Structures are given as C-alpha cells and as structure tokens.
C-alpha cells in the first residue's frame, strides 16, 4: 500500500468504533479487501502493522490470519512498561476528543478497571499484555508469536529484532526523519482537554477528527517547542506502584506462554526508585498553544478547499 500503517483497513475489518458519538468506519470492506489482495499477491514477506489489531478477539484474530494470506502468519507484539504507557495513553484519549481528567483516568484503570463508570474501556483491551500474548498464542501457536520488549538502554533493539525476523542486513532499518511524535506538555494537554469540552457540543467526531486530530494537534506537536518550565506528564507514586504490580503478573504469564522473546521481559517492570510526582500546571493559558493549534486547523481547512 501507500500508507505507513493500515489502521483504517484493520478498524474497518473489526468494525471498531471511534469517537464520542460511536462513529464506525465503513463496513463496505474496500480497504480491508484491498489490503488482503495486496498481501496475497505479493511474492515475498509482508509486514502488516497496526495497533488496532489489539482489538481483535480470538475468532476475529483467526479469521484475519486466514484472510491475509494462505501461508502461515507470524505475530509480533511490541511491548513497553505500563508506567510509560499510562500517561501516553491518556494523552492519546485527549487527542481523540475525550474530556476525562488525568485523575479520573488513573482511578478508572487502576482502582476499578471493570467498573461501570470506566470512561476508557478500551485501555485494558489494548494494554493487558499477558492476555494479548495468550490470545494470539492460542490462535497461531507459541512458535509463531514473538514478543519484542522495548529497551531504553538499547534503542536499536526494535530495529534489530525485525531485521532478524525479516532476514535483513543489520542496519537496514533505522529511525528516519519522520514527523515529530513528542508528548504534549501538561499545559498543552490541559488546554486541549478543556477545549474538547466545548468542541464536543459544537461538532461531530468526524469533523473533530478532520480539523483537530489531523490538523491542529499534529501542527502543535510538530511546530511548537514547550518552554523549559512546562512540566511533562508523570505518574503519582501509588499509580506507579500499581502499574509495576500488574506488570509483574504480565511478565510471569508471558514467560509461561511459550512465545519467543526479543529483549528482557524484566524490563517491563523498571526497578528505579518510586518517588512521588506532583502535577503542576504552569502557563496553562499560554496564548501560543492556542495560536499554534488554530494555525493547524486553518491550514487543514485550506487544504480541503484547494
């Protein structure tokens, strides 16, 4: 295909809902059918990479493997510590138009993950690492599931692992000059969350997705550099402790799954001391944050009218 990752095709295949108004990708099957056609007719190794595959249940996973290719499908799952994923995930929810506060989010996923008031029920479907590995092992067998554990001490591990699996010469894969994907600072994400409260009353998710997710937010990430006094998001001590407790259970179960491991499973549970983190919002009213967001929205609208 022509895109970096076939998220649209996978979400179409799974009927995954998006947005606060439960907008669902079209079920006509055009994107998914095209992806399967390209995969089946290509005479070589194909890599289909999409986080949306985490949403597939056992039956869907088995069907997806059959539909993509007649040849055996190998499943690769890349993981990193929960305590790194949690702050990043909340930001992604906010970037998708959600209005849940950070405190509400932490309480929902760590204190009462199955509670009826959990505002982000998809979190554990994506981030229950042990269940994710176990599900795919059950579908394709442990000999065809590989787990790559991200490492802060070896930034090449991800690339080296895929080069080994694809029989590529060492150094073929590298981090080229792609779009900046930095995390938002606390003032940035706080302003966006409060902005979402108003936007959700005035537009559909489809409109929000086009103007803000594809326009304003990427423009902010790529064109603004947070000031030195802008704090980044962290985890309070109680949440970090709970994340490590859950991560320890994941490590045990993944080790027992029989999947092949690239890296060290123990890296999923960092051993650094747990210190208290206090959130401060400095400069939350910065005009340049809003100005940069609006510049991206204006450019997106201009592109649509061209």
């Amino acid at each position: 295909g022509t895109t970096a990752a076939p998220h649209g095709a996978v979400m179409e295949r799974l009927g995954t809902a998006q947005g606060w108004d439960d907008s669902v990708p079209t079920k006509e099957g055009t994107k998914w059918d095209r992806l399967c056609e390209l995969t089946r007719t290509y005479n070589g190794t194909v890599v289909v990479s999409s986080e949306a595959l985490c949403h597939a249940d056992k039956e869907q996973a088995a069907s997806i493997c059959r539909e993509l290719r007649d040849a055996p499908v190998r499943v690769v799952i890349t993981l990193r510590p929960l305590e790194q994923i949690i702050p990043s995930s909340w930001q992604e929810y906010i970037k998708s138009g959600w209005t849940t506060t950070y405190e509400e989010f932490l309480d929902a996923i760590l204190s009462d993950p199955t509670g009826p008031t959990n505002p982000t029920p998809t979190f554990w479907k994506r981030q229950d690492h042990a269940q994710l590995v176990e599900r795919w092992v059950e579908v394709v067998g442990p000999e065809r599931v590989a787990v790559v554990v991200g490492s802060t001490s070896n930034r090449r591990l991800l690339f080296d692992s895929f080069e080994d699996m694809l029989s590529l010469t060492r150094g073929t894969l590298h981090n080229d000059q792609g779009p900046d994907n930095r995390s938002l600072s606390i003032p940035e994400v706080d302003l966006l969350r409060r902005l979402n409260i108003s936007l959700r009353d005035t537009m559909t998710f489809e409109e929000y997705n086009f103007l803000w997710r594809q326009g304003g937010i990427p423009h902010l990430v790529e064109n603004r550099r947070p000031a030195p006094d802008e704090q980044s998001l962290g985890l309070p001590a109680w949440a970090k402790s709970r994340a490590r407790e859950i991560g320890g259970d994941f490590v045990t179960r993944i080790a027992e799954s029989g999947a092949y491991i690239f890296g060290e499973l123990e890296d999923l549970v960092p051993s650094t001391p747990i210190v208290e983190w206090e959130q401060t919002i400095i400069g939350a009213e910065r005009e340049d944050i809003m100005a940069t967001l609006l510049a991206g929205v204006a450019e997106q609208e201009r592109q649509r009218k061209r």
Side-chain angles (χ1 to χ4, degrees), residues 204-218:
T204 64
F205 177 74
E206 184 178 5
E207 293 169 330
Y208 179 90
N209 185 56
F210 177 77
L211 291 174
W212 295 91
R213 292 187 73 206
Q214 299 178 23
I217 297 171

Side-chain angles (χ1 to χ4, degrees), residues 84-143:
Q84 295 176 11
I85 290 172
I86 290 172
S88 175
S89 292
W90 178 69
Q91 288 198 17
E92 292 305 313
Y93 281 115
I94 298 303
K95 288 180 182 179
S96 296
W98 296 96
T99 59
T100 306
T101 68
Y102 192 41
E103 293 75 15
E104 291 170 338
F105 172 72
L106 293 179
D107 183 65
I109 64 170
L110 295 173
S111 298
D112 190 19
T114 60
T117 59
N118 187 351
T120 54
T122 60
F123 178 84
W124 285 118
K125 192 163 189 176
R126 285 174 172 262
Q127 307 302 345
D128 188 331
H129 301 159
Q131 188 178 88
L132 186 62
V133 173
E134 291 164 350
R135 182 162 66 248
W136 284 99
V137 163
E138 192 173 354
V139 171
V140 302
E143 70 283 355

Side-chain angles (χ1 to χ4, degrees), residues 23-305:
S23 301
V24 179
T26 175
K27 293 185 178 181
E28 295 176 357
T30 53
K31 291 181 180 178
W32 177 254
D33 289 346
R34 176 59 177 159
L35 176 63
C36 291
E37 179 185 357
L38 288 171
T39 302
R40 286 192 298 265
T41 57
Y42 181 72
N43 186 26
T45 302
V46 176
V47 178
V48 177
S49 175
S50 175
E51 294 178 6
L53 287 166
C54 294
H55 290 270
D57 59 28
K58 178 183 172 183
E59 290 72 23
Q60 290 172 324
S63 296
I64 284 171
C65 290
R66 291 193 300 268
E67 293 164 13
L68 280 173
R69 214 164 199 191
D70 294 331
V73 173
R74 185 173 189 181
V75 177
V76 185
I77 301 171
T78 59
L79 302 178
R80 58 186 176 129
L82 267 180
E83 61 190 76
Q84 295 176 11
I85 290 172
I86 290 172
S88 175
S89 292
W90 178 69
Q91 288 198 17
E92 292 305 313
Y93 281 115
I94 298 303
K95 288 180 182 179
S96 296
W98 296 96
T99 59
T100 306
T101 68
Y102 192 41
E103 293 75 15
E104 291 170 338
F105 172 72
L106 293 179
D107 183 65
I109 64 170
L110 295 173
S111 298
D112 190 19
T114 60
T117 59
N118 187 351
T120 54
T122 60
F123 178 84
W124 285 118
K125 192 163 189 176
R126 285 174 172 262
Q127 307 302 345
D128 188 331
H129 301 159
Q131 188 178 88
L132 186 62
V133 173
E134 291 164 350
R135 182 162 66 248
W136 284 99
V137 163
E138 192 173 354
V139 171
V140 302
E143 70 283 355
R144 290 200 276 127
V145 175
V147 175
V148 181
V149 181
S151 171
T152 56
S153 61
N154 180 10
R155 300 289 186 179
R156 281 286 318 171
L157 177 65
L158 182 65
F159 301 113
D160 292 348
S161 301
F162 274 86
E163 285 171 351
D164 289 346
M165 286 183 278
L166 298 171
S167 300
L168 298 176
T169 303
R170 183 66 83 232
T172 300
L173 302 177
H174 55 87
N175 187 17
D176 61 6
Q177 296 297 317
D180 194 349
N181 192 32
R182 69 170 178 84
S183 296
L184 298 178
S185 68
I186 289 180
E188 289 173 330
V189 72
D190 178 71
L191 188 148
L192 181 59
R193 188 191 71 81
R194 290 186 287 119
L195 182 65
N196 287 345
I197 295 173
S198 299
L199 293 175
R200 286 177 58 152
D201 291 333
T202 60
M203 61 178 58
T204 64
F205 177 74
E206 184 178 5
E207 293 169 330
Y208 179 90
N209 185 56
F210 177 77
L211 291 174
W212 295 91
R213 292 187 73 206
Q214 299 178 23
I217 297 171
H219 188 81
L220 175 71
V221 170
E222 295 173 25
N223 293 280
R224 182 179 184 273
R225 289 294 170 265
D229 62 350
E230 289 184 47
Q231 187 184 21
S232 59
L233 206 60
L235 273 185
W238 75 267
K240 186 172 289 189
S241 178
R242 178 64 177 140
R244 292 187 182 186
E245 179 185 346
I246 297 170
D249 175 64
F250 288 170
V251 167
T252 300
R253 291 165 56 191
I254 293 172
E256 295 172 348
S257 71
Y260 185 84
I261 310 298
F262 286 93
E264 301 294 333
L265 275 177
E266 290 70 22
D267 286 345
L268 291 176
V269 186
S271 58
T272 53
I274 295 178
V275 296
E276 190 54 77
W277 174 82
E278 294 184 3
Q279 175 178 332
T280 60
I281 299 179
I282 300 174
E285 302 296 336
R286 290 180 188 270
E287 294 180 358
D288 61 304
I289 298 177
M290 181 59 78
T292 310
L293 278 168
L294 291 176
V297 170
E299 174 62 21
Q300 186 76 343
E301 184 63 26
R302 187 180 72 84
Q303 292 292 338
R304 175 163 60 181
K305 292 181 178 180

